[in-house]
Amino acid sequence: MSASGYVQHYSAKVSDIYFIRPIKMFKSRFKFAQTKVAVGALLLLSCLPFAATAASLEAQLSQYAATAKAANPGFAGFSAARGEALHTRNFASGKPDTPACTSCHGKDPRSAGQTLTGKRIEAVALSVSPSRYADPAKVEKWFKRNCNEVIGRECTAQEKGDWLTFVGSR
Amino acid sequence: MKFPTRPVSLGLLVLAFSALVFSRAQAGGGHYYPPVVDPVVKEECGSCHLAFPAAMLPAASWKRMMGELENHFGDNAAVDPALARKITAYLVANAGDAAGQRYSAKLLRGVDAASAPQRITALPQWVREHRKVPDWEWRHKDVRSKANCTACHADAELGYYED
C-alpha cells in the first residue's frame, strides 16, 4: 500500500515537470518581452518632454531674436552672461520687496526658489527642470508678470532672449 | 418586569456622545476646507501662493477679486478673460456661502457676504483663531507672510488647518 502510494506520488511529480514547467517558462518569457516593450516606451516617453522643450525653446528664442534685430540692427545674438547679469541685478524701479529676479528664484539657478508667501518655485536652470520652458505662452506670461514686478516695465526681446539663453546653459 | 433604567440611559448617553464626536470629526472640527481640485484653478491661483480653498470666502468676494486682478494685493495677476470666467465659476460654485457648503460656517460667522471681504486673514474668526501667534513668529524667515499657511499648517494643501 505504502509503496504504490509512493509511486503514485512520484509519477505526479514527473507530470509536473513535463507539463507545467514548459508552460510556466513560456509565460515568464512572454512577460519578459512585455517588460522590455514597457521599459522602451517609458524611455521614449521620458525623452519626449525634453525634446519638446528644446524645440519650443529654440523657436521662442528665434522669435525673440527677430524682434531684437528689428529693434536694434546691431543685434549680434543672445548672451548667457548678459542674462546672468540681468538675473542677479538689483533694480530700484520695481516693487521694493522684489528688487531682483533672485529675490524669489534664489542665487543659484540650479536650486529651487520661494515666493514671498512661501510657495516653492522649481529651479530655473533647464538642466534641473527640463520641462520648464515647454509652453511658450506660459513663458511669456511669467516674463510679463515678473519683469513688471522686478523692473517696473516689460522686458525687451533682447532681455528675454538673454535670460532664456542663460537658464538654458545651466 | 422592571424597566432597566440604568443600562438604557447609559447606552443612550454613549450613543449621544459618539454622535457628537462623529459630527465633529466629519466637519474636521471646523478646520477642514476642501482644497482646490480643478487643475487650471490650482495652477493659476496656486503658483504664487497656496491655492486658497474657495470655501474660505463667500461668492461675492471671489467675484470682486476676479474683477480686480490687475491689482491683486499689489500685484498684477491678470489672466485672459476666458480663463478668468472659468476660474470665477469654480470659485463661486465652491464658495463658503454656496449651496450645500458645510465647511466654513465658523470662518464666515459674522461676515457680511455683501461686503465682499478680500483678505482671508482679516476675517474676524481668522483673527480670533490666530490671536495667540506672537509677532516674531509672523516675521520668522520661514513664515514672512500671513498667506503662508503651510509654514505652520503642515497639511494645509490637503485642506487641514487644525494644528
Side-chain angles (χ1 to χ4, degrees):
Chain A
M1 262 304 264
S2 75
S4 76
Y6 174 75
V7 169
Q8 258 183 353
H9 180 70
Y10 183 76
S11 71
K13 274 256 167 192
V14 169
S15 78
D16 236 18
I17 291 162
Y18 277 87
F19 295 106
I20 297 169
R21 278 292 276 279
I23 293 168
K24 267 194 181 163
M25 268 172 71
F26 170 73
K27 263 195 169 169
S28 75
R29 248 197 236 169
F30 178 66
K31 260 192 188 161
F32 182 63
Q34 267 188 325
T35 318
K36 264 193 359 195
V37 170
V39 167
L42 254 174
L43 270 173
L44 209 75
L45 273 173
S46 65
C47 292
L48 267 177
F50 201 78
T53 304
S56 66
L57 193 55
E58 280 307 306
Q60 198 159 17
L61 273 172
S62 58
Q63 212 173 11
Y64 287 145
T67 315
K69 185 107 184 128
N72 168 23
F75 171 75
F78 295 124
S79 138
R82 271 201 311 262
E84 183 168 15
L86 177 77
H87 189 67
T88 52
R89 190 177 145 192
N90 269 296
F91 293 88
S93 43
K95 288 183 62 183
D97 45 359
T98 51
C101 304
T102 51
S103 306
C104 293
H105 290 293
K107 289 205 171 64
D108 179 8
R110 287 199 186 88
S111 35
Q114 206 185 34
T115 67
L116 290 181
T117 58
K119 190 94 190 175
R120 182 190 155 90
I121 310 173
E122 293 305 320
V124 290
L126 187 65
S127 64
V128 182
S129 319
S131 57
R132 203 178 203 279
Y133 305 102
D135 178 3
K138 195 173 166 183
V139 172
E140 263 297 298
K141 167 185 151 183
W142 286 105
F143 267 136
K144 190 175 173 187
R145 281 190 182 174
N146 294 349
C147 291
N148 270 319
E149 304 255 302
V150 172
I151 315 179
R153 59 163 172 81
E154 288 202 27
C155 283
T156 64
Q158 162 110 45
E159 286 168 330
K160 291 176 191 174
D162 285 342
W163 190 85
L164 279 178
T165 307
F166 160 62
V167 294
S169 71
R170 295 303 171 98
Chain B
M1 200 182 115
K2 220 181 106 188
F3 186 73
T5 318
R6 209 194 293 189
V8 165
S9 57
L10 262 174
L12 279 177
L13 199 72
V14 167
L15 211 69
F17 183 71
S18 52
L20 187 79
V21 168
F22 181 67
S23 71
R24 292 281 293 171
Q26 255 195 331
H31 291 96
Y32 174 73
Y33 300 89
V36 169
V37 288
D38 185 298
V40 173
V41 179
K42 208 170 169 179
E43 159 87 15
E44 295 297 330
C45 305
S47 300
C48 302
H49 53 69
L50 171 74
F52 302 114
M56 286 189 171
L57 286 175
S61 297
W62 293 121
K63 281 186 200 153
R64 179 174 153 203
M65 194 177 293
M66 290 304 295
E68 298 173 350
L69 282 182
E70 289 76 22
N71 184 12
H72 184 65
F73 302 95
D75 287 343
N76 185 344
V79 293
D80 76 72
L83 194 56
R85 270 196 299 278
K86 191 175 172 345
I87 297 169
T88 310
Y90 177 88
L91 293 171
V92 167
N94 294 281
D97 57 350
Q101 178 60 254
R102 59 192 183 92
Y103 295 107
S104 40
K106 241 179 155 179
L107 184 61
L108 296 184
R109 187 178 291 162
V111 171
D112 174 21
S115 70
Q118 296 292 286
R119 254 178 224 279
I120 295 165
T121 57
L123 299 175
Q125 184 63 22
W126 191 98
V127 174
R128 204 169 312 135
E129 292 268 0
H130 295 82
R131 68 188 182 280
K132 284 181 190 151
V133 179
D135 208 38
W136 66 266
E137 270 188 36
W138 292 121
R139 286 198 312 262
H140 191 279
K141 69 172 176 54
D142 292 334
V143 183
R144 296 195 294 185
S145 161
K146 285 182 180 172
N148 188 2
C149 309
T150 42
C152 305
H153 302 287
D155 287 328
E157 285 190 44
L158 301 172
Y160 299 101
Y161 295 82
E162 49 257 302
D163 43 346

